[in-house]
Amino acid sequence: MPDKPDPTDAIPPPTRFPRPAVGRFSLYYRELYRLLDQGQSHINSKQLGSIVNVSPAVVRRDLSNLGTIGRRGVGYQIDQLIDQIGGVLGSGQQWQVVLVGVGSLGDALLRYRGFERLGFRLVAAFDLDNQKVNQTIGGVSILNAETMVGKLAELSPDLAIIAVPAEVALDVANELVAAGISGILNFAPTTLRLPPGIAVVNVDLASELQRLAFSVQNL
Amino acid sequence: MPDKPDPTDAIPPPTRFPRPAVGRFSLYYRELYRLLDQGQSHINSKQLGSIVNVSPAVVRRDLSNLGTIGRRGVGYQIDQLIDQIGGVLGSGQQWQVVLVGVGSLGDALLRYRGFERLGFRLVAAFDLDNQKVNQTIGGVSILNAETMVGKLAELSPDLAIIAVPAEVALDVANELVAAGISGILNFAPTTLRLPPGIAVVNVDLASELQRLAFSVQNL
């Protein structure tokens, strides 16, 4: 993995990838990293497809969209693939992330060890609860949410994670947007209606169970 | 809400809905429930679309797939829509769910209050840590994971949530499948390769941040 690159040196935005492919790139990246850690150097499209449950043809198409072609009998070089996919996903960059809302889910997110290696660094958390303010969880300081606007101006993070109750999520999101944040990962079970130019990814835990129940009914 | 139904009595599988529509139904359901709670009785496609960020035409198409047509000038009756969408999503049923792995994420899931109203009841949690076994979190008892096979036979849950480290997730999943569970919500950052006939929904928190970073780069 390269050192933190100069932001002016960033690769041009690869707008040509459809959303399902982005989801697959993220899976390829995770699994290739694991294989590299285990000492594997090459992989072919059949093996990679079998690991992430897609066909070899889909793997070959996705990777050829990156400009990468496997060598017959040898396959793809794993470290090269990781660099290329990481470039597409922005993982070669360092992203500064703040978390708002240190309830039980926020607490779990602060302790989660999977963000750092993908280039996401939690730089601060905010909560209104005096019991939590000035504590540190997972190495991240919890700051008073009443001071959030000023702290955001100081830290100028790239992304924010919202883990507050649904009723206040939109107000929090608007404060974050006003502070210049352009990407929000929203765990509050509510639809955030934000100005254009703000990226939002929603994760609704109950909706995921609903999707699962739907799949089970349709097996 | 009816009791746990006889599986032979289940509503016929509504296989005609594509996956993106299922995601939208889940959103409609959540937002319609909220509006009903606030005392609203009717809604039109423009209002509903604006709440969940899709066009009125998409709303009308989705709802007409349910066999529901709004009345001009009045719109749709919210309680009827909730019943119909809930039927598609299986939310009229009661689903018994077990959780495996009571780390910080598992802890947060046990405390999460959004599952019950959608028909998902957490009936037990399992962990290997003696400090946690026999404790209760969010009203759910934590049982010794070494007794899991027997307990599953006793409880015969419908669905399971996996929140264990990636290294052991596949072993856990195989035990769950052997016990007759046909749906797994997997939070472990690994791809579970399971026999056909088992539904898996994966939620990888780091991948969601990656998706967000990708969107921000492409704004």
Side-chain angles (χ1 to χ4, degrees):
Chain A
M1 176 101 87
D3 287 337
K4 181 177 175 175
D6 180 338
T8 57
D9 198 13
I11 52 165
T15 44
R16 68 194 180 283
F17 299 108
R19 204 170 127 168
V22 177
R24 287 194 300 273
F25 281 134
S26 183
L27 282 182
Y28 298 150
Y29 188 84
R30 184 182 76 189
E31 298 300 329
L32 289 167
Y33 226 118
R34 190 176 53 76
L35 294 170
L36 189 73
D37 279 351
Q38 290 171 4
Q40 191 172 327
S41 66
H42 288 77
I43 193 165
N44 64 37
S45 57
K46 193 175 162 195
Q47 291 161 337
L48 184 54
S50 136
I51 292 170
V52 303
N53 284 331
V54 301
S55 76
V58 167
V59 171
R60 284 193 296 272
R61 195 187 59 211
D62 283 344
L63 299 186
S64 76
N65 278 338
L66 290 177
T68 302
I69 292 165
R71 279 173 58 204
R72 186 172 296 273
V74 180
Y76 301 89
Q77 201 178 313
I78 291 180
D79 57 359
Q80 268 183 15
L81 277 187
I82 287 175
D83 279 354
Q84 286 176 307
I85 298 175
V88 168
L89 294 174
S91 300
Q93 292 179 48
Q94 182 89 354
W95 299 82
Q96 315 262 15
V97 185
V98 294
L99 169 77
V100 190
V102 190
S104 51
L105 180 62
D107 183 285
L109 293 167
L110 291 177
R111 294 175 198 275
Y112 191 70
R113 295 274 65 86
F115 297 138
E116 195 86 20
R117 77 184 300 174
L118 297 180
F120 300 103
R121 201 162 80 81
L122 279 160
V123 293
F126 296 95
D127 201 279
L128 280 172
D129 184 345
N130 282 327
Q131 305 277 345
K132 292 171 186 164
V133 170
N134 295 327
Q135 300 233 28
T136 296
I137 296 179
V140 182
S141 299
I142 305 171
L143 309 176
N144 188 337
E146 283 171 9
T147 67
M148 189 168 85
V149 171
K151 286 287 176 187
L152 291 175
E154 206 177 288
L155 296 166
S156 65
D158 306 297
L159 307 173
I161 302 175
I162 291 183
V164 299
E167 306 81 67
V168 293
L170 183 58
D171 288 343
V172 167
N174 281 327
E175 280 193 57
L176 292 167
V177 169
I181 281 175
S182 56
I184 292 174
L185 182 59
N186 174 40
F187 286 93
T190 187
T191 308
L192 299 178
R193 304 197 58 228
L194 297 174
I198 308 298
V200 180
V201 168
N202 294 292
V203 181
D204 181 333
L205 301 173
S207 293
E208 299 295 347
L209 261 185
Q210 258 184 336
R211 269 180 59 208
L212 178 64
F214 179 84
S215 299
V216 167
Q217 278 189 326
N218 291 285
L219 279 173
Chain B
M1 197 168 298
D3 287 338
K4 185 176 178 181
D6 179 338
T8 57
D9 196 14
I11 51 167
T15 45
R16 67 193 182 282
F17 299 108
R19 206 171 125 167
V22 177
R24 288 194 299 273
F25 281 135
S26 184
L27 282 183
Y28 298 149
Y29 189 84
R30 183 182 77 188
E31 300 298 328
L32 290 167
Y33 227 119
R34 190 176 54 75
L35 293 170
L36 189 73
D37 278 351
Q38 291 170 4
Q40 191 171 330
S41 67
H42 289 77
I43 193 166
N44 64 36
S45 56
K46 191 174 163 196
Q47 291 161 338
L48 183 54
S50 133
I51 292 170
V52 302
N53 284 331
V54 300
S55 75
V58 167
V59 172
R60 283 193 297 270
R61 194 187 59 211
D62 284 342
L63 300 186
S64 75
N65 280 336
L66 290 177
T68 302
I69 293 166
R71 280 174 56 203
R72 186 172 295 274
V74 179
Y76 302 89
Q77 201 179 313
I78 290 179
D79 57 359
Q80 269 184 13
L81 276 187
I82 288 175
D83 279 353
Q84 287 175 307
I85 297 175
V88 168
L89 294 174
S91 299
Q93 291 180 49
Q94 181 90 352
W95 300 82
Q96 315 261 14
V97 185
V98 294
L99 169 77
V100 190
V102 191
S104 51
L105 180 61
D107 183 285
L109 293 167
L110 291 176
R111 295 175 197 274
Y112 191 69
R113 296 275 64 89
F115 296 138
E116 194 86 20
R117 77 183 301 174
L118 297 180
F120 300 102
R121 200 162 80 81
L122 280 161
V123 292
F126 296 96
D127 201 279
L128 280 173
D129 183 345
N130 282 328
Q131 305 277 346
K132 291 171 185 164
V133 170
N134 295 326
Q135 300 233 27
T136 296
I137 296 178
V140 182
S141 298
I142 303 171
L143 308 176
N144 189 336
E146 283 171 9
T147 68
M148 190 169 83
V149 171
K151 285 288 176 186
L152 291 175
E154 204 177 289
L155 296 165
S156 65
D158 307 296
L159 307 174
I161 303 176
I162 291 183
V164 298
E167 306 82 68
V168 294
L170 183 58
D171 288 343
V172 167
N174 282 327
E175 279 193 58
L176 293 166
V177 169
I181 280 175
S182 56
I184 292 174
L185 181 59
N186 174 41
F187 285 94
T190 188
T191 308
L192 299 178
R193 303 198 58 228
L194 297 175
I198 308 298
V200 179
V201 167
N202 294 292
V203 181
D204 181 332
L205 301 173
S207 293
E208 300 294 346
L209 260 184
Q210 257 184 337
R211 270 180 58 208
L212 177 63
F214 180 84
S215 298
V216 167
Q217 278 188 325
N218 291 284
L219 278 173

